[in-house]
Amino acid sequence: MIKPRTETPDLSINLLNDTKWTLSEQKPENFTLVVVYRGKHCPVCKKYLETIQDHLGDFKDKGVNVVAISSDTKAKAEASYKEWDIKDVPLGYEFPIEEAREWGLYISKGIKDEPEEFVEPAIFLIRPDRTLYASSIQTMPFARPEIVELIKSIDFVNNKDYPARGEA
């Protein structure tokens, strides 16, 4: 488990726009938001990423860089990109399961139409120096932080210089 105020592992992942996204190369004004989603098979993920799409401008206005990643193959990520309304969300694919474990993520074995193995959802709010500010790690597709509430919280954090909590 990565504790708040400690450095996160570096993360480097291929994006669908044929670039490589690397956490240590990010230079956000305030935060990087890493959104881990379950994959193409997840209708809750579709809705969640579409809500992020709707609020990308809000994140940008608050100095937050956003990336969404999954352990999906490139082909499945491309299908998600084409079928979901997420045209501006940077979408990463093939997040290695072993690397996901280093981030403290839960891994599930697929049932029915799911992949054989995949990561469960999480969000990580990371300071520009790569220290973890906050995280929410789930074991199921539901009970994720609401995007609008997260945006309001970022305003509060920035306006009040509120410190990261939970490091003890």
Side-chain angles (χ1 to χ4, degrees):
M1 177 163 93
I2 306 165
K3 291 192 175 190
R5 298 185 187 180
T6 64
E7 188 173 86
T8 64
D10 202 3
L11 175 61
S12 191
I13 194 155
N14 291 320
L15 298 181
L16 286 181
N17 66 0
D18 293 325
T19 64
K20 185 169 281 277
W21 184 94
T22 301
L23 178 59
S24 60
E25 295 173 1
Q26 301 305 300
K27 304 293 181 222
E29 181 183 343
N30 291 306
F31 294 103
T32 296
L33 176 62
V34 176
V35 179
V36 181
Y37 71 102
R38 300 171 87 223
K40 169 99 174 56
H41 66 278
C42 177
V44 179
C45 297
K46 175 184 186 288
K47 183 178 178 186
Y48 200 72
L49 292 189
E50 287 176 344
T51 303
I52 289 171
Q53 169 68 42
D54 293 342
H55 293 281
L56 273 178
D58 297 327
F59 283 114
K60 184 177 179 183
D61 291 346
K62 289 161 189 359
V64 179
N65 292 357
V66 177
V67 67
I69 65 174
S70 76
S71 58
D72 269 355
T73 63
K74 183 177 185 180
K76 284 186 180 180
E78 285 173 337
S80 297
Y81 181 79
K82 288 175 186 169
E83 295 171 26
W84 299 357
D85 185 17
I86 56 171
K87 65 181 173 59
D88 300 313
V89 176
L91 205 61
Y93 57 92
E94 296 177 358
F95 182 36
I97 296 295
E98 286 311 311
E99 209 169 315
R101 285 189 171 104
E102 290 174 23
W103 281 79
L105 298 177
Y106 293 96
I107 310 302
S108 287
K109 300 285 184 197
I111 54 174
K112 298 183 182 178
D113 295 331
E114 296 174 342
E116 185 177 318
E117 194 173 51
F118 59 92
V119 295
E120 291 294 345
I123 64 162
F124 296 93
L125 198 57
I126 303 166
R127 289 279 191 193
D129 66 359
R130 251 184 57 216
T131 58
L132 181 65
Y133 181 80
S135 64
S136 176
I137 300 172
Q138 302 302 322
T139 63
M140 289 284 188
F142 24 84
R144 301 178 208 196
E146 294 290 329
I147 297 303
V148 172
E149 292 304 313
L150 179 59
I151 291 166
K152 289 178 187 176
S153 298
I154 290 168
D155 272 342
F156 177 83
V157 166
N158 289 336
N159 293 336
K160 303 288 185 186
D161 196 26
Y162 195 76
R165 308 308 303 267
E167 72 282 355

